[in-house]
Amino acid sequence: MRFRATVENVTIFFRIIQAVEKLQRRCIIKFTENEMHIICNDDANEGGIQVWSVVKVDSIFTNYRIQSNANNQITVALSTDALLSALRSSSSSVSSASTAAAILPAYDTDELVMKLAKKNDQAVLSFEMFGVSRTGRRVRVAHDVRIDVMRPAEVDKLREPLCPEPDVHILLPPLQKLRTIVERLRLLSAVLALRANNNGKLQVSISTESVKVETQWLGCANPTLRQTQDDESQNPDSDPVEKPDPETLFSVLVSVRSFLKFLNSHVVSTTTIACICQNHCAILYVYIGEVADAGGVLTFYIPSVIDE
Protein backbone atom coordinates (compact mmCIF):
# COMPACT_ATOMS: atom_id res chain seq x y z
CA MET A 1 0.00 0.00 0.00
CA ARG A 2 1.58 3.26 -1.14
CA PHE A 3 0.33 6.82 -1.26
CA ARG A 4 2.13 10.11 -1.90
CA ALA A 5 1.03 13.46 -3.31
CA THR A 6 2.04 17.09 -3.40
CA VAL A 7 -0.65 19.36 -1.95
CA GLU A 8 -0.73 22.10 -4.56
CA ASN A 9 -3.86 23.93 -3.40
CA VAL A 10 -3.41 23.93 0.38
CA THR A 11 -5.94 26.70 0.98
CA ILE A 12 -8.83 24.82 -0.64
CA PHE A 13 -7.92 21.58 1.18
CA PHE A 14 -7.78 23.49 4.46
CA ARG A 15 -11.16 25.16 3.87
CA ILE A 16 -12.85 21.87 2.96
CA ILE A 17 -11.67 20.27 6.21
CA GLN A 18 -12.57 23.46 8.07
CA ALA A 19 -16.14 23.12 6.73
CA VAL A 20 -16.56 19.56 8.05
CA GLU A 21 -14.54 19.91 11.27
CA LYS A 22 -17.44 21.65 13.05
CA LEU A 23 -19.66 18.71 12.16
CA GLN A 24 -17.70 15.72 13.38
CA ARG A 25 -14.51 15.09 15.37
CA ARG A 26 -13.48 12.26 13.06
CA CYS A 27 -14.07 11.86 9.36
CA ILE A 28 -13.40 9.25 6.70
CA ILE A 29 -11.24 10.07 3.68
CA LYS A 30 -11.24 7.72 0.72
CA PHE A 31 -8.47 8.22 -1.83
CA THR A 32 -8.97 6.76 -5.30
CA GLU A 33 -7.01 7.22 -8.52
CA ASN A 34 -8.99 10.30 -9.57
CA GLU A 35 -10.98 11.49 -6.56
CA MET A 36 -10.83 12.18 -2.85
CA HIS A 37 -14.01 11.43 -0.89
CA ILE A 38 -14.55 13.02 2.53
CA ILE A 39 -17.35 11.44 4.55
CA CYS A 40 -19.01 12.42 7.82
CA ASN A 41 -21.73 9.88 8.55
CA ASP A 42 -21.84 9.47 12.31
CA ASP A 43 -25.40 8.87 13.57
CA ALA A 44 -24.51 10.92 16.65
CA ASN A 45 -24.12 14.09 14.57
CA GLU A 46 -26.35 17.03 15.42
CA GLY A 47 -29.76 16.36 13.88
CA GLY A 48 -28.45 13.37 11.90
CA ILE A 49 -26.66 15.60 9.35
CA GLN A 50 -24.23 13.82 7.02
CA VAL A 51 -21.64 14.97 4.49
CA TRP A 52 -20.54 13.01 1.42
CA SER A 53 -18.06 15.00 -0.63
CA VAL A 54 -16.20 14.27 -3.84
CA VAL A 55 -13.13 16.32 -4.80
CA LYS A 56 -11.20 15.92 -8.03
CA VAL A 57 -7.59 14.94 -7.34
CA ASP A 58 -6.16 17.43 -9.82
CA SER A 59 -7.99 20.34 -8.16
CA ILE A 60 -5.82 19.95 -5.03
CA PHE A 61 -2.91 17.60 -5.71
CA THR A 62 -0.04 17.13 -8.14
CA ASN A 63 2.47 14.25 -8.40
CA TYR A 64 -0.35 12.05 -7.11
CA ARG A 65 0.55 8.36 -6.72
CA ILE A 66 -1.60 5.67 -5.13
CA GLN A 67 -1.26 1.90 -5.05
CA SER A 68 -3.17 -0.73 -3.09
CA ASN A 69 -4.66 -4.19 -3.44
CA ALA A 70 -8.16 -2.71 -3.14
CA ASN A 71 -8.44 -1.38 -6.72
CA ASN A 72 -5.90 1.33 -5.89
CA GLN A 73 -8.15 2.76 -3.21
CA ILE A 74 -7.11 3.69 0.33
CA THR A 75 -9.68 4.64 2.97
CA VAL A 76 -8.69 6.09 6.34
CA ALA A 77 -10.43 7.44 9.43
CA LEU A 78 -8.77 10.35 11.22
CA SER A 79 -9.29 13.34 13.48
CA THR A 80 -10.53 16.39 11.58
CA ASP A 81 -8.93 18.71 14.15
CA ALA A 82 -5.55 16.96 13.80
CA LEU A 83 -5.74 17.23 10.01
CA LEU A 84 -6.55 20.94 10.26
CA SER A 85 -3.59 21.48 12.58
CA ALA A 86 -1.27 19.67 10.16
CA LEU A 87 -2.39 21.78 7.21
CA ARG A 88 -2.16 24.95 9.27
CA SER A 89 1.34 24.31 10.60
CA SER A 90 2.68 22.95 7.32
CA SER A 91 1.75 25.91 5.17
CA SER A 92 2.30 29.64 5.49
CA SER A 93 -0.67 30.29 3.16
CA VAL A 94 -3.20 29.20 5.77
CA SER A 95 -1.11 30.02 8.85
CA SER A 96 -0.87 33.68 7.89
CA ALA A 97 -4.65 33.99 7.96
CA SER A 98 -5.03 32.39 11.38
CA THR A 99 -4.13 33.07 14.99
CA ALA A 100 -1.35 30.52 14.57
CA ALA A 101 0.59 33.11 12.57
CA ALA A 102 1.56 34.84 15.79
CA ILE A 103 3.42 31.81 17.13
CA LEU A 104 4.65 30.06 13.98
CA PRO A 105 7.89 31.10 12.28
CA ALA A 106 7.41 33.07 9.06
CA TYR A 107 8.34 31.16 5.92
CA ASP A 108 7.39 30.72 2.30
CA THR A 109 6.31 27.21 1.33
CA ASP A 110 7.90 25.71 -1.76
CA GLU A 111 6.31 22.29 -1.49
CA LEU A 112 3.95 20.38 0.81
CA VAL A 113 4.08 16.59 0.48
CA MET A 114 1.44 14.30 1.99
CA LYS A 115 2.20 10.58 2.24
CA LEU A 116 1.13 7.40 3.95
CA ALA A 117 3.66 6.13 6.49
CA LYS A 118 4.05 3.98 9.57
CA LYS A 119 5.82 5.18 12.71
CA ASN A 120 6.18 3.02 15.82
CA ASP A 121 3.71 0.55 14.28
CA GLN A 122 1.11 3.32 13.94
CA ALA A 123 -0.22 4.30 10.52
CA VAL A 124 0.02 8.05 9.91
CA LEU A 125 -0.64 10.58 7.21
CA SER A 126 2.63 12.46 7.15
CA PHE A 127 2.91 16.07 5.99
CA GLU A 128 6.32 17.47 5.06
CA MET A 129 6.74 21.13 4.17
CA PHE A 130 9.85 22.38 2.41
CA GLY A 131 10.37 26.12 2.24
CA VAL A 132 12.50 29.18 2.97
CA SER A 133 12.44 31.26 6.15
CA ARG A 134 12.34 35.04 6.23
CA THR A 135 16.09 35.04 6.78
CA GLY A 136 16.69 32.89 3.69
CA ARG A 137 17.39 29.61 5.47
CA ARG A 138 15.92 26.33 4.19
CA VAL A 139 13.05 25.09 6.37
CA ARG A 140 11.50 21.65 6.78
CA VAL A 141 8.36 21.19 8.88
CA ALA A 142 6.96 17.71 9.52
CA HIS A 143 3.56 16.91 11.01
CA ASP A 144 2.07 13.43 11.44
CA VAL A 145 -1.65 12.67 11.76
CA ARG A 146 -2.61 9.31 13.29
CA ILE A 147 -4.99 7.34 11.08
CA ASP A 148 -6.88 4.06 11.08
CA VAL A 149 -6.76 2.33 7.70
CA MET A 150 -10.15 0.81 6.97
CA ARG A 151 -10.53 -2.70 5.59
CA PRO A 152 -12.34 -3.15 2.25
CA ALA A 153 -15.19 -4.96 4.03
CA GLU A 154 -15.72 -1.88 6.25
CA VAL A 155 -15.60 0.45 3.25
CA ASP A 156 -18.22 -1.61 1.42
CA LYS A 157 -20.67 -0.91 4.24
CA LEU A 158 -20.51 2.85 3.66
CA ARG A 159 -23.75 3.99 2.05
CA GLU A 160 -25.07 7.43 1.18
CA PRO A 161 -28.55 8.22 2.54
CA LEU A 162 -31.42 7.16 0.30
CA CYS A 163 -33.65 10.10 -0.54
CA PRO A 164 -36.70 10.55 -2.76
CA GLU A 165 -36.52 12.65 -5.91
CA PRO A 166 -36.36 16.31 -4.83
CA ASP A 167 -39.45 18.43 -5.37
CA VAL A 168 -37.48 21.59 -6.06
CA HIS A 169 -33.89 22.72 -6.76
CA ILE A 170 -32.95 26.30 -5.99
CA LEU A 171 -29.77 28.36 -5.93
CA LEU A 172 -29.06 29.72 -2.45
CA PRO A 173 -27.93 33.28 -1.75
CA PRO A 174 -24.34 33.71 -0.49
CA LEU A 175 -23.94 31.43 2.51
CA GLN A 176 -22.21 34.06 4.63
CA LYS A 177 -25.28 36.33 4.38
CA LEU A 178 -27.63 33.42 5.01
CA ARG A 179 -25.57 32.45 8.05
CA THR A 180 -25.97 35.92 9.58
CA ILE A 181 -29.76 35.60 9.34
CA VAL A 182 -29.92 32.05 10.70
CA GLU A 183 -27.63 32.98 13.63
CA ARG A 184 -30.31 35.47 14.73
CA LEU A 185 -33.13 32.96 14.26
CA ARG A 186 -31.26 30.44 16.43
CA LEU A 187 -31.94 32.62 19.45
CA LEU A 188 -35.69 32.30 18.86
CA SER A 189 -36.29 28.68 17.85
CA ALA A 190 -34.58 25.30 17.57
CA VAL A 191 -36.44 24.42 14.35
CA LEU A 192 -36.26 26.22 11.02
CA ALA A 193 -38.53 25.91 7.98
CA LEU A 194 -36.84 25.90 4.57
CA ARG A 195 -39.27 26.52 1.69
CA ALA A 196 -38.85 27.03 -2.03
CA ASN A 197 -40.83 26.87 -5.26
CA ASN A 198 -39.98 26.44 -8.93
CA ASN A 199 -40.43 30.14 -9.63
CA GLY A 200 -37.36 31.43 -7.80
CA LYS A 201 -38.88 31.98 -4.34
CA LEU A 202 -36.92 30.93 -1.24
CA GLN A 203 -38.10 31.30 2.35
CA VAL A 204 -36.38 30.71 5.67
CA SER A 205 -38.63 31.03 8.71
CA ILE A 206 -39.23 30.10 12.33
CA SER A 207 -42.56 29.88 14.13
CA THR A 208 -43.21 29.52 17.85
CA GLU A 209 -46.10 30.35 20.15
CA SER A 210 -44.64 33.78 20.81
CA VAL A 211 -42.94 34.79 17.55
CA LYS A 212 -42.98 34.24 13.80
CA VAL A 213 -40.13 35.44 11.58
CA GLU A 214 -39.76 34.93 7.84
CA THR A 215 -37.06 35.98 5.40
CA GLN A 216 -37.76 35.69 1.68
CA TRP A 217 -35.72 35.89 -1.51
CA LEU A 218 -37.23 36.31 -4.97
CA GLY A 219 -35.65 35.71 -8.36
CA CYS A 220 -33.40 32.83 -7.28
CA ALA A 221 -32.41 30.46 -10.08
CA ASN A 222 -34.03 27.01 -10.31
CA PRO A 223 -31.28 24.90 -11.91
CA THR A 224 -31.81 21.47 -13.44
CA LEU A 225 -29.31 19.03 -12.03
CA ARG A 226 -27.42 16.74 -14.39
CA GLN A 227 -28.98 13.57 -12.95
CA THR A 228 -32.45 14.77 -13.93
CA GLN A 229 -31.23 15.68 -17.42
CA ASP A 230 -29.59 12.25 -17.81
CA ASP A 231 -32.77 10.44 -16.76
CA GLU A 232 -34.83 12.34 -19.31
CA SER A 233 -32.32 11.78 -22.12
CA GLN A 234 -32.14 8.04 -21.39
CA ASN A 235 -35.92 7.71 -21.47
CA PRO A 236 -37.09 10.06 -24.23
CA ASP A 237 -40.19 7.95 -24.95
CA SER A 238 -41.36 7.75 -21.35
CA ASP A 239 -44.42 9.70 -20.28
CA PRO A 240 -43.38 13.18 -19.17
CA VAL A 241 -43.69 13.80 -15.47
CA GLU A 242 -46.39 16.32 -14.74
CA LYS A 243 -44.65 19.39 -13.41
CA PRO A 244 -46.13 21.05 -10.33
CA ASP A 245 -47.47 24.57 -10.30
CA PRO A 246 -44.30 26.74 -10.20
CA GLU A 247 -45.84 28.78 -7.38
CA THR A 248 -46.29 25.73 -5.11
CA LEU A 249 -43.98 25.94 -2.12
CA PHE A 250 -42.24 22.79 -0.92
CA SER A 251 -40.93 22.76 2.63
CA VAL A 252 -38.90 20.84 5.16
CA LEU A 253 -38.34 21.47 8.87
CA VAL A 254 -34.73 21.11 9.99
CA SER A 255 -32.72 21.66 13.13
CA VAL A 256 -31.36 25.22 13.26
CA ARG A 257 -28.09 23.92 14.70
CA SER A 258 -27.78 21.40 11.85
CA PHE A 259 -28.39 24.12 9.29
CA LEU A 260 -25.76 26.33 10.90
CA LYS A 261 -23.24 23.49 10.73
CA PHE A 262 -23.91 23.26 7.00
CA LEU A 263 -23.48 27.04 6.70
CA ASN A 264 -19.90 26.68 8.00
CA SER A 265 -19.15 25.62 4.42
CA HIS A 266 -19.33 29.30 3.42
CA VAL A 267 -15.51 29.24 3.69
CA VAL A 268 -15.31 27.07 0.55
CA SER A 269 -18.57 27.81 -1.24
CA THR A 270 -18.89 29.63 -4.54
CA THR A 271 -22.24 28.17 -5.61
CA THR A 272 -24.71 26.24 -3.45
CA ILE A 273 -27.83 24.46 -4.68
CA ALA A 274 -30.52 23.37 -2.23
CA CYS A 275 -32.82 20.46 -3.02
CA ILE A 276 -35.96 20.02 -0.92
CA CYS A 277 -37.64 16.65 -0.52
CA GLN A 278 -41.00 17.63 0.98
CA ASN A 279 -41.17 16.76 4.68
CA HIS A 280 -38.24 14.34 4.29
CA CYS A 281 -34.88 16.10 4.02
CA ALA A 282 -32.82 18.91 2.54
CA ILE A 283 -29.93 18.03 0.24
CA LEU A 284 -27.38 20.82 -0.18
CA TYR A 285 -24.69 20.81 -2.86
CA VAL A 286 -21.74 23.09 -2.09
CA TYR A 287 -19.62 23.46 -5.22
CA ILE A 288 -15.88 24.09 -5.10
CA GLY A 289 -15.52 26.50 -7.99
CA GLU A 290 -18.15 27.27 -10.60
CA VAL A 291 -20.69 24.50 -11.24
CA ALA A 292 -19.70 23.95 -14.88
CA ASP A 293 -16.05 23.40 -13.96
CA ALA A 294 -16.22 22.53 -10.27
CA GLY A 295 -13.20 20.99 -8.58
CA GLY A 296 -15.58 19.04 -6.38
CA VAL A 297 -18.81 19.16 -4.43
CA LEU A 298 -19.69 18.79 -0.74
CA THR A 299 -23.12 17.18 -0.36
CA PHE A 300 -24.90 17.78 2.94
CA TYR A 301 -27.91 15.66 3.93
CA ILE A 302 -30.09 17.20 6.64
CA PRO A 303 -33.10 15.07 7.69
CA SER A 304 -36.41 16.64 8.60
CA VAL A 305 -37.42 17.01 12.23
CA ILE A 306 -40.83 16.79 13.83
CA ASP A 307 -41.80 20.13 15.29
CA GLU A 308 -43.68 19.29 18.46
Side-chain angles (χ1 to χ4, degrees), residues 146-160:
R146 292 168 61 99
I147 61 173
D148 294 317
V149 179
M150 297 178 64
R151 297 189 299 270
E154 295 175 309
V155 177
D156 289 341
K157 294 179 182 178
L158 298 174
R159 292 286 185 271
E160 284 195 54

Side-chain angles (χ1 to χ4, degrees), residues 1 26 28-29 68 70 73-78 116-118 122-125 146-152 154-155:
M1 184 181 294
R26 290 178 66 80
I28 295 169
I29 300 183
S68 79
Q73 297 179 1
I74 298 174
T75 306
V76 303
L78 74 170
L116 193 65
K118 181 174 281 191
Q122 169 65 50
V124 297
L125 207 53
R146 292 168 61 99
I147 61 173
D148 294 317
V149 179
M150 297 178 64
R151 297 189 299 270
E154 295 175 309
V155 177

Side-chain angles (χ1 to χ4, degrees), residues 196-271:
N197 68 12
N198 286 290
N199 197 28
K201 181 186 291 186
L202 172 70
Q203 295 177 351
V204 172
S205 67
I206 57 102
S207 178
T208 68
E209 292 182 357
S210 57
V211 63
K212 291 185 178 181
V213 180
E214 178 183 285
T215 302
Q216 178 171 281
W217 290 263
L218 300 175
C220 299
N222 291 108
T224 301
L225 294 189
R226 183 173 297 175
Q227 181 63 48
T228 304
Q229 294 173 328
D230 291 345
D231 291 343
E232 291 177 354
S233 63
Q234 291 173 9
N235 301 285
D237 298 328
S238 62
D239 294 332
V241 178
E242 184 178 346
K243 294 185 178 180
D245 181 345
E247 295 298 331
T248 300
L249 284 167
F250 297 97
S251 66
V252 63
L253 297 177
V254 297
S255 157
V256 173
R257 290 180 63 181
S258 292
F259 200 67
L260 278 172
K261 286 179 181 292
F262 144 69
L263 290 172
N264 285 321
S265 63
H266 73 88
V267 295
V268 74
S269 168
T270 52
T271 301

